[in-house]
Amino acid sequence: SQQGEEDPQALSIQEGENATMNCSYKTSINNLQWYRQNSGRGLVHLILIRSNEREKHSGRLRVTLDTSKKSSSLLITASRAADTASYFCATDSLNTNAGKSTFGDGTTLTVKP
Amino acid sequence: DTGVSQDPRHKITKRGQNVTFRCDPISEHNRLYWYRQTLGQGPEFLTYFQNEAQLEKSRLLSDRFSAERPKGSFSTLEIQRTEQGDSAMYLCASSLRGVEQYFGPGTRLTVT
């Protein structure tokens, strides 16, 4: 079974609006990462947040992490049509130093022009 | 382009045939991972290598699956006696020190 669960499963917004996606996970983690995947293609790494961090920014992306609630959120501000993609959170468990990631099933974001 | 490459990008095979996929990681990366992704789901971990050593295998990796990384550079994933349930996207990723992973474009396998 997957470690992470993204919410919502699908999100449709207008260009220029903000998009917020949430991720919940089950076990203690070293870090949490967000990836983007365009239809039928490989994953692109967006941002990493470590377990001792609470918030991180990268361009139009803002990620928060609440380890007490075992949850994270990804905010994309001023969305563009090119942001249309699936977004996955991935966690690296404390129980391994392999760096292998456990992914959720993703949020499919559609940004309408 | 010095990213992760995978070959082939698409493979259609008949049930019962063997298939082999190749992954070329980013050259200085010592860790290499294989994942499988089915439609509408996130990638599922299959196995990973540190240099040429295969250090972990998922229970998803049945005895029909084998992976190698003979010289610590490229890797191959072989599936023997393919089944329709093997149809999926097979993703390879590499990393340095096992944190941020860089993914290849994937090999889409269709078993008919």
Side-chain angles (χ1 to χ4, degrees), chain A:
Chain A
S1 63
Q2 299 290 67
Q3 156 84 307
E5 291 185 6
E6 284 91 342
D7 172 60
Q9 287 187 325
L11 180 61
S12 181
I13 59 174
Q14 292 294 134
E15 203 164 29
E17 295 180 339
N18 295 343
T20 299
M21 290 159 263
N22 302 296
C23 167
S24 60
Y25 57 91
K26 297 173 185 172
T27 62
S28 297
I29 61 172
N30 285 321
N31 58 65
L32 184 144
Q33 304 180 65
W34 285 91
Y35 290 82
R36 182 186 72 221
Q37 184 177 39
N38 291 87
S39 179
R41 303 178 80 171
L43 284 81
V44 173
H45 185 269
L46 295 177
I47 197 165
L48 177 150
I49 186 165
R50 300 187 187 279
S51 59
N52 61 352
E53 297 175 311
R54 292 296 166 258
E55 188 171 313
K56 206 157 181 184
H57 297 254
S58 176
R60 294 184 296 112
L61 306 180
R62 172 177 167 253
V63 168
T64 62
L65 179 64
D66 186 335
T67 52
S68 66
K69 295 181 180 178
K70 292 186 169 60
S71 67
S72 172
S73 67
L74 170 67
L75 168 68
I76 304 174
T77 60
S79 64
R80 306 167 182 167
D83 295 328
T84 294
S86 292
Y87 292 81
F88 295 90
C89 69
T91 55
D92 294 351
S93 170
L94 269 180
N95 297 324
T96 175
N97 63 359
K100 73 176 188 185
S101 295
T102 305
F103 288 79
D105 286 337
T107 291
T108 300
L109 172 66
T110 303
V111 181
K112 301 176 201 172

Side-chain angles (χ1 to χ4, degrees), chain B residues 3-8 20-26 31-34 68-70 72-77 90-94 102-107:
Chain B
V4 179
S5 62
Q6 292 187 245
D7 183 68
T20 300
F21 310 140
R22 176 180 170 124
C23 171
D24 286 272
I26 294 171
R31 293 188 176 183
L32 186 149
Y33 304 81
W34 285 98
E68 294 182 342
R69 195 182 182 197
S73 57
F74 74 91
S75 175
T76 57
L77 177 69
Y90 289 84
L91 294 164
C92 174
S94 70
Y102 293 81
F103 281 81
T107 293

Side-chain angles (χ1 to χ4, degrees), chain B residues 14-82:
Chain B
K14 292 185 178 179
R15 189 176 54 190
Q17 298 294 305
N18 299 345
V19 294
T20 300
F21 310 140
R22 176 180 170 124
C23 171
D24 286 272
I26 294 171
S27 59
E28 64 268 26
H29 285 184
N30 60 344
R31 293 188 176 183
L32 186 149
Y33 304 81
W34 285 98
Y35 292 85
R36 181 173 69 188
Q37 185 180 25
T38 53
L39 196 62
Q41 298 197 329
E44 294 177 295
F45 171 79
L46 291 178
T47 188
Y48 105 96
F49 293 83
Q50 180 157 312
N51 301 313
E52 66 275 10
Q54 186 175 19
L55 296 186
E56 189 169 348
K57 291 167 56 173
S58 163
R59 286 172 294 174
L60 292 174
L61 214 66
S62 76
D63 56 6
R64 296 185 298 106
F65 287 69
S66 63
E68 294 182 342
R69 195 182 182 197
K71 296 182 180 178
S73 57
F74 74 91
S75 175
T76 57
L77 177 69
E78 180 183 16
I79 309 174
Q80 296 182 325
R81 304 181 304 281
T82 52

